[in-house]
Amino acid sequence: MLRLSVPTAEQEKRWHITVVCLIILETLLLLTALVPAQLWTRLLPQSTDAALDGPYPAALAPVVAALLYVLPVLIGFLCRAWQRALFYATLPAWLSLGLFLVAATFKIGAFYLVSPDHVTANVSTLELFAFLGGIGWLGRQVFKLHQSS
């Protein structure tokens, strides 16, 4: 028999806390990815891979890269509404790109954001995270019905 899963208030609370934690983790990963390689080499002079992998050991670099794709999908999967899934999945990118933009304006200038190559890259990043969040939400819809014995 198929039945619709209705989460309890306690489950909803745990899901919201999990989503917030995933958003924070994704934001931190994106912020470390946006730090220029030159800064990582100055901050971590003893590391030979700091320019490529930032603060992460070379063995963890593939895991970090995978998390950048998996976390928005998980965030989207944990959201009941598609609007929330897309917003929460893109929120880390909005925050990270915003902080990066503010930091970049000190060195590069106020019009860094509106240069054509940066606009394209930023919009593509937001589209990617929205798409991944949407995939997660669609996965939730597929697995919403479950078989109970």
Side-chain angles (χ1 to χ4, degrees):
M1 167 158 88
L2 294 175
R3 69 179 177 91
L4 204 56
S5 172
V6 179
T8 64
E10 186 62 33
Q11 275 181 321
E12 279 291 323
K13 184 177 177 181
R14 277 184 276 164
W15 285 358
H16 287 298
I17 291 170
T18 303
V19 167
V20 169
C21 291
L22 291 175
I23 289 171
I24 291 169
L25 177 61
E26 180 80 10
T27 303
L28 292 174
L29 289 174
L30 283 171
L31 283 172
T32 59
L34 288 172
V35 171
Q38 299 86 357
L39 184 59
W40 286 125
T41 55
R42 279 188 296 200
L43 292 174
L44 305 167
Q46 72 282 4
S47 175
T48 58
D49 295 327
L52 292 175
D53 301 324
Y56 308 106
L60 286 181
V63 174
V64 172
L67 284 174
L68 288 171
Y69 282 87
V70 171
L71 290 176
V73 174
L74 287 174
I75 291 168
F77 186 83
L78 293 174
C79 294
R80 293 174 62 109
W82 69 268
Q83 297 94 337
R84 189 173 292 158
L86 297 183
F87 176 69
Y88 287 168
T90 58
L91 187 59
W94 283 107
L95 295 172
S96 301
L97 290 171
L99 288 172
F100 177 74
L101 172 66
V102 170
T105 57
F106 286 113
K107 188 168 185 146
I108 300 170
F111 299 109
Y112 177 77
L113 174 69
V114 294
S115 65
D117 53 338
H118 296 121
V119 169
T120 304
N122 292 339
V123 170
S124 296
T125 300
L126 293 170
E127 288 173 343
L128 171 66
F129 284 97
F131 179 74
L132 293 171
I135 287 176
W137 181 82
L138 285 173
R140 178 185 179 91
Q141 301 311 304
V142 168
F143 295 114
K144 189 191 279 188
L145 296 175
H146 66 85
Q147 202 168 11
S148 65
S149 311

